[in-house]
Amino acid sequence: MLQPIAPRPLAGDAAYASLRQAIVELVLPPGSPLSRAEIALRLGLSQTPVREALSRLQAEGLVTVVPSASTHVARIDLGSVAQAQFLRTAVEVEMVRRLAAAPPPALAAALQAMLDDQRRLVGQDGFAQADDAFHAALYEAANIGGLWPLVRSRSGHLDRLRRLNLPGPGKMQAVVGEHAEIARAIAAGDAPAAEAALRQNFSATLTRIPAVRAQHPDWFA
């Protein structure tokens, strides 16, 4: 689950990345207790970088610390989900409109290759990473790549909800279809269609909240 990391000057960053991935991918489910000593042992690090990593994750709302009592993975907070959804929609609607106004020459081919990867990965563990890669490529193409890490840092609760939603019947195929329509609309210079497809891509996750919450009631705040 958590593989040892060789000590190095950026051990804190490595511990943060490893823990965050485990939390977002639900390897460490909401509510899981977190022992700094145990994590340090599993990662092959001292407790200092682990403490730094947990502090960063606490700032993102992914870890809850009760002083002198316990540390655990935060449960999914729907208020944070809504805020992340608002942030991503605001940024990415403008992003796809900008791309449709002046489609970069190489973007269509790059997105098509990503769509091919997504189709191949339907039903597999790597699909979520391919989903993220598609959106990250749009940020880069729109020359706002520096915003992607910022948006991601605020989207931990939303990303966990998306992970829970992806295995639903037909969900991955629907995501591929929405991505394909975004790519088509951008290439065609059709900003309204690109925006509509993006909004559909985002809103579908929220409509599934009651069903997902019913399946995992203890994972929500």
Side-chain angles (χ1 to χ4, degrees):
M1 180 175 67
L2 296 174
Q3 299 300 316
I5 299 171
R8 54 186 178 275
L10 298 180
D13 290 341
Y16 163 79
S18 181
L19 279 168
R20 192 180 193 283
Q21 180 179 0
I23 291 171
V24 169
E25 294 183 354
L26 302 171
V27 175
L28 289 172
S32 298
L34 297 172
S35 163
R36 193 167 64 213
E38 182 179 345
I39 292 170
L41 181 63
R42 287 181 178 236
L43 295 179
L45 298 172
S46 70
Q47 292 192 32
T48 298
V50 174
R51 184 186 302 112
E52 295 170 359
L54 291 173
S55 179
R56 290 173 65 180
L57 292 166
Q58 182 184 13
E60 291 185 19
L62 291 176
V63 166
T64 300
V65 178
V66 180
S68 303
S70 65
T71 300
H72 59 269
V73 177
R75 288 176 169 79
I76 298 171
D77 178 74
L78 294 180
S80 295
V81 168
Q83 290 185 43
Q85 188 86 333
F86 185 92
L87 173 62
R88 287 200 63 170
T89 301
V91 173
E92 296 192 26
V93 161
E94 179 61 26
M95 175 182 73
V96 297
R97 293 187 69 88
R98 177 186 295 185
L99 289 171
L107 181 60
L111 294 182
Q112 186 57 55
M114 291 183 173
L115 289 168
D116 291 342
D117 284 341
Q118 289 176 29
R119 293 185 182 100
R120 178 176 54 81
L121 289 168
V122 166
Q124 300 183 41
D125 290 339
F127 185 87
Q129 289 86 350
D131 183 353
D132 287 338
F134 180 88
H135 288 270
L138 295 177
Y139 277 71
E140 289 295 335
N143 295 316
I144 57 169
L147 291 181
W148 178 246
L150 172 64
V151 169
R152 297 287 293 150
S153 73
R154 306 310 308 165
S155 300
H157 290 273
L158 174 61
D159 287 343
R160 289 190 294 171
L161 181 62
R162 290 171 58 236
R163 291 277 177 161
L164 286 170
N165 194 30
L166 273 179
K171 175 58 180 175
M172 293 185 190
Q173 291 90 337
V175 169
V176 175
E178 291 152 7
H179 286 177
E181 177 56 20
I182 292 170
R184 185 209 64 77
I186 289 173
D190 188 345
E195 176 181 342
L198 178 73
R199 289 185 182 276
Q200 175 60 31
N201 186 226
F202 285 158
S203 65
T205 295
L206 299 188
T207 62
R208 287 272 303 155
I209 287 176
V212 172
R213 191 172 187 176
Q215 291 176 340
H216 304 279
D218 294 339
W219 286 9
F220 288 80

